[in-house]
């Protein structure tokens, strides 16, 4: 059985690292994006099971990312 995948979207590397460590410890496959455009590309490519989305991104509002997902 493949591990569920989670797309982490946050522009702060320290937050992504904190979440990645915890999620990988629970055997999730973690995909990371630091902006909205990267998140949309990765979501289309990887089709994650869950997205953890920061609403305050540098290139677009997280609500827009959510609507486009």
């Amino acid at each position: 059985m493949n591990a569920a995948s989670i797309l982490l979207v946050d522009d702060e590397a320290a937050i992504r690292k904190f979440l990645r460590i915890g999620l990988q410890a629970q055997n999730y496959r973690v995909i990371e994006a630091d902006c909205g455009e990267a998140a949309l590309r990765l979501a289309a490519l990887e089709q994650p099971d869950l997205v953890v989305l920061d609403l305050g991104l540098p290139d677009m509002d997280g609500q827009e990312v959510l609507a486009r997902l």
Side-chain angles (χ1 to χ4, degrees), residues 17 41 45 49 59:
K17 180 180 178 181
R41 281 192 308 273
L45 181 67
D49 298 297
D59 62 339

Side-chain angles (χ1 to χ4, degrees), residues 3-6 8 16-32:
S5 61
I6 298 176
L8 293 178
R16 289 195 319 272
K17 180 180 178 181
F18 173 77
L19 292 171
R20 179 182 66 243
I21 290 168
L23 292 168
Q24 287 178 335
Q26 297 300 313
N27 298 316
Y28 290 102
R29 186 172 71 89
V30 178
I31 307 155
E32 297 181 43

Side-chain angles (χ1 to χ4, degrees), residues 25-66:
Q26 297 300 313
N27 298 316
Y28 290 102
R29 186 172 71 89
V30 178
I31 307 155
E32 297 181 43
D34 62 357
C35 66
E37 285 297 330
L40 293 170
R41 281 192 308 273
L42 286 169
L45 181 67
E46 300 285 340
Q47 299 183 345
D49 298 297
L50 178 74
V51 177
V52 177
L53 176 62
D54 179 11
L55 296 179
L57 297 170
D59 62 339
M60 69 175 66
D61 183 72
Q63 294 288 345
E64 181 181 347
V65 175
L66 183 60

